Amino acid sequence: MATNIGMMDSAYFVGRSEILAWINSTLHLNLAKVEEACTGAVHCQLMDATHPGMVPMHKVNFDAKSEYEMIQNYKVLQDVFNKLKITKHIEVNKLIKGRPLDNLEFMQWMKRYCDSVNGGLIHSYNPLERRESCKGGKEASKKSASSQSTNKGVTAAPKAQSSHNARRHDVTSVNPTTQAIKTSKPSAVVPAYDEQITELKLSVDSLEKERDFYFAKLRDIEILCQSPGIEHLPIVGAIKRILYATDDDASVVAEAQAMVFHQQKEAEPLSPIAEVSEERTSSETQKRKNIVNVDVDTAGITTLSPRQRLSDVSDVHCSGSPLMTY
């Protein structure tokens, strides 16, 4: 049973016309657009048709117009999902907006799920009778019945008109074929424009989804950069420089790279070889100083006169040196 299917599954490639035909034939409705099912009532009855008696239809509102009333329908649907242990997430906030793409995707999933239960075969299910207990269910059934009768009348009218024109052919000399072509042109143009408008809406919804996805990613990066432990790091500053740039200029990236490079250069430690060479240089300098001091002392002694040397000896003798008393 397909409860969670991937976005690349064949179910999401089912067209709108096929989805609408499936809904209208199963529930005896006459929906012209998929987004007309955004109230959630159609989804509830589709689950009731798939699992008879599982949905409390007296809680379903087919006349829901406000978002609050629509949310109540989706609560009923969520309760049914919980009873059947279906883990499909219902994006209620998007569905009640009536966006074509969101409603189409969810309805595609609904069709795949209903087809996976008993092969999609629904036996002895009366959708009109089940809708009678719903709020606005009778009105929905009447609308579908009246629209179906109107469609039959519209299809029957051209036949009557063509026979009437055939009878008047000899009197008025009007070509019925030309007249039929002229009357059919407006009806053929309007559906083409409707289809183009729907495709544009779908593309806009897709672009908005992509925009919101990447904006959320950038927001996560911004929140991470504002963490107290790392917000003052140079690499974080470089990221903020790119995030908050107001113009599309390549120099912004170059400035951010320069910030990171400058920080790496300042934090780069001395190599062990350089430290050893500095130690050797300082030790050799100290040795040279000691040698120079010894040489100076020796030179001072040799430059003393014989009289100065004798006076030094007498000073030692007077001082009572143990070397001189021996």
Side-chain angles (χ1 to χ4, degrees):
M1 193 176 298
T3 57
N4 282 321
I5 56 177
M7 288 301 296
M8 297 306 295
D9 192 272
S10 59
Y12 291 108
F13 293 94
V14 179
R16 290 179 293 107
S17 57
E18 185 176 348
I19 293 291
L20 288 172
W22 171 66
I23 296 173
N24 293 331
S25 62
T26 303
L27 303 182
H28 294 180
L29 292 172
N30 191 33
L31 300 182
K33 298 179 181 178
V34 178
E35 53 267 29
E36 291 179 10
C38 64
T39 61
V42 174
H43 304 89
C44 291
Q45 191 169 13
L46 286 172
M47 292 300 296
D48 184 67
T50 307
H51 300 280
M54 184 64 69
V55 181
M57 293 298 292
H58 64 280
K59 295 183 179 181
V60 180
N61 185 1
F62 271 86
D63 194 30
K65 291 181 175 60
S66 65
E67 291 187 357
Y68 173 78
E69 293 173 334
M70 296 178 188
I71 290 173
Q72 300 306 312
N73 286 337
Y74 283 107
K75 283 184 178 180
V76 174
L77 182 65
Q78 186 63 63
D79 291 339
V80 175
F81 278 16
N82 294 337
K83 290 178 183 178
L84 297 172
K85 297 181 180 180
I86 299 174
T87 58
K88 172 67 176 177
H89 175 64
I90 305 174
E91 296 182 348
V92 180
N93 293 329
K94 293 183 179 180
L95 293 174
I96 61 179
K97 299 297 182 183
R99 294 182 177 180
L101 182 61
D102 295 323
N103 283 273
L104 176 62
E105 289 181 355
F106 190 69
M107 196 58 75
Q108 286 170 336
W109 180 90
M110 287 287 299
K111 185 177 186 306
R112 175 60 180 271
Y113 175 80
C114 295
D115 290 344
S116 65
V117 178
N118 299 325
L121 300 176
I122 300 175
H123 302 285
S124 64
Y125 180 77
N126 190 342
L128 301 177
E129 182 181 350
R130 291 290 292 169
R131 253 197 316 270
E132 288 181 357
S133 61
C134 303
K135 182 180 179 180
K138 293 181 180 179
E139 289 76 5
S141 300
K142 289 179 181 178
K143 286 181 182 179
S144 62
S146 62
S147 60
Q148 288 175 2
S149 62
T150 304
N151 291 335
K152 290 180 180 179
V154 170
T155 55
K159 295 181 180 179
Q161 185 68 25
S162 61
S163 61
H164 181 67
N165 289 337
R167 287 194 299 269
R168 295 179 58 192
H169 177 70
D170 296 334
V171 179
T172 60
S173 68
V174 176
N175 190 351
T177 307
T178 306
Q179 186 177 359
I181 293 173
K182 289 181 180 180
T183 56
S184 63
K185 281 184 179 179
S187 61
V189 172
V190 172
Y193 282 124
D194 289 340
E195 187 174 355
Q196 290 180 3
I197 292 172
T198 305
E199 290 178 357
L200 290 174
K201 287 182 179 179
L202 292 174
S203 63
V204 169
D205 289 342
S206 178
L207 290 174
E208 287 181 353
K209 273 190 173 183
E210 187 176 0
R211 178 202 63 190
D212 295 341
F213 174 78
Y214 287 111
F215 178 79
K217 293 293 182 184
L218 292 175
R219 179 58 182 155
D220 292 340
I221 295 173
E222 183 183 29
I223 293 173
L224 180 63
C225 291
Q226 292 173 353
S227 300
I230 63 172
E231 64 175 335
H232 298 297
L233 295 178
I235 183 66
V236 176
I239 294 173
K240 288 182 179 180
R241 179 72 181 87
I242 296 175
L243 280 178
Y244 299 143
T246 57
D247 53 350
D248 188 10
D249 191 358
S251 62
V252 175
V253 180
E255 290 176 7
Q257 291 176 345
M259 293 170 64
V260 177
F261 179 74
H262 181 69
Q263 183 267 339
Q264 290 178 348
K265 195 171 183 180
E266 287 183 350
E268 184 177 353
L270 293 174
S271 63
I273 298 175
E275 293 178 356
V276 172
S277 62
E278 287 184 359
E279 291 179 358
R280 289 181 179 176
T281 304
S282 60
S283 62
E284 289 178 358
T285 304
Q286 188 63 32
K287 287 180 180 179
R288 290 174 183 174
K289 287 181 180 180
N290 294 335
I291 293 171
V292 170
N293 292 334
V294 171
D295 292 341
V296 170
D297 294 339
T298 305
I301 294 172
T302 55
T303 54
L304 291 175
S305 63
R307 185 175 296 176
Q308 289 175 342
R309 293 177 187 173
L310 288 174
S311 63
D312 293 337
V313 171
S314 62
D315 291 338
V316 172
H317 178 70
C318 294
S319 63
S321 173
L323 294 175
M324 298 305 295
T325 57
Y326 174 74

